[in-house]
Amino acid sequence: MKLLLGPGPSNVDRRVYEALSRPLVGHLDPEFLEVMNEIQHLLRYTFRTQNRLAIPLSGTGSAGMEAALVNFVQKGDPVLVGVAGLFGERMCDIVQRCGGRLARVDADWGHPLPLDSMERAIRTHRPRIVAVVHGETSTGVRQPLEELSRVTREQDSLFLVDAVTTLGGVPLEVDRWQIDLCYSGTQKCLSCPPGLSPLTVSDRGAEVLRSRRLPVQSWYLDLTLVQKYWGAERTYHHTAPISMNYALLEALRIVHEETLEARWSRHEENHRALVVGLSALGLEMLVDPEYRLWSLNTVKVPPAVEEERVRQRLLRQHDIEIGGGLGILRGKIWRIGLMGTSCVRENVQRFVEAFAASLQAEGFPCSARDALDQAGQVYKTRDA
Ligand SMILES: *Cc1c(COP(=O)(O)O)cnc(C)c1O
């Protein structure tokens, strides 16, 4: 068994594996309809929403991204995307494939979106949708959403948020922040295998969907059809991935039992301990403290150390997976995920120790003992 501390997937709880191996039932079996009901109920809890529409789409996080755009962008619609990393870029690509008129605001990778530029762009373009990524997994930045939500609402645009790396790990308030379209993935902070994409749509969003002139370009991701299977009609659209839904239900039950608040503080605490440990090793974080994403930590590769060799050592000798940088950050950072089940004190300690050993083996002097001591102080403060 490998310790998964990369940008996802994260480790899966034994209860979720057991749920995956339950005997199959039909996708219209009354027993499965109960499973579907409970999933929708627990998704509303996890997204912090009263939205009627809260369902898991068949497909990974990118299916959620595509659904959130293809259902709401019609040809010629102005859409504003805030781009602060790879996943913002991916949204731009999809908007263009949908025939939307794309406007974008760019942030330097490693920084949040510049609020003044976003405000100006929203007021100038009056977009139908303002789309941003809450946790940019490519950079480790948590994008603050409350101000953006306010400006978006002033122009009557729909607010779209990618919560793939934040749902279930980092505070996310769909209703309070007036998010109209929000999607996630199962394999990050929910600690389920990849394969489903939880998605929720506000009543405002649902109204836009109802008033479309033309059918949704994608048949598979057409929410007006998918909704009929998850709603009261239970009309066959496609065969739901039964086992994955059992797994998601169990993962959501675990979230609910722990409570979101406890989960958020667990992610915050382990993130803090990791950062203290990394700096004691003599390493520097990429992102300013106030914008750091608890679930995905980006740390700079020191000069004269080969990024990939350290990662390979961790995997081959210690069975620990972490991620490397993407795009312009390739070779420059490591990405260390602390998501869901993986995000516990023992894993932080095990990682810090193994990371120190791997860095030393690659010629970077550092002390595991100091780093462990200092990271331990973070937990002691809480224990006291
Ligand atoms: C992982 C991720 C995605 C894509 O999810 P897949 O499951 O890989 O399709 C989208 N957005 C963000 C922010 C992610 O971290």
Side-chain angles (χ1 to χ4, degrees), residues 162 172 188 236 285 337:
D162 174 318
L172 168 76
K188 309 224 176 163
Y236 165 70
M285 302 302 289

Side-chain angles (χ1 to χ4, degrees), residues 44 53 69 83 87 115 160 177 199-200 212 256 264 289 361:
R44 288 187 196 103
L53 183 52
L69 290 165
V83 182
F87 293 103
L115 188 61
L160 183 159
W177 298 343
L199 170 127
T200 187
R212 280 186 65 106
H256 185 253
W264 294 337

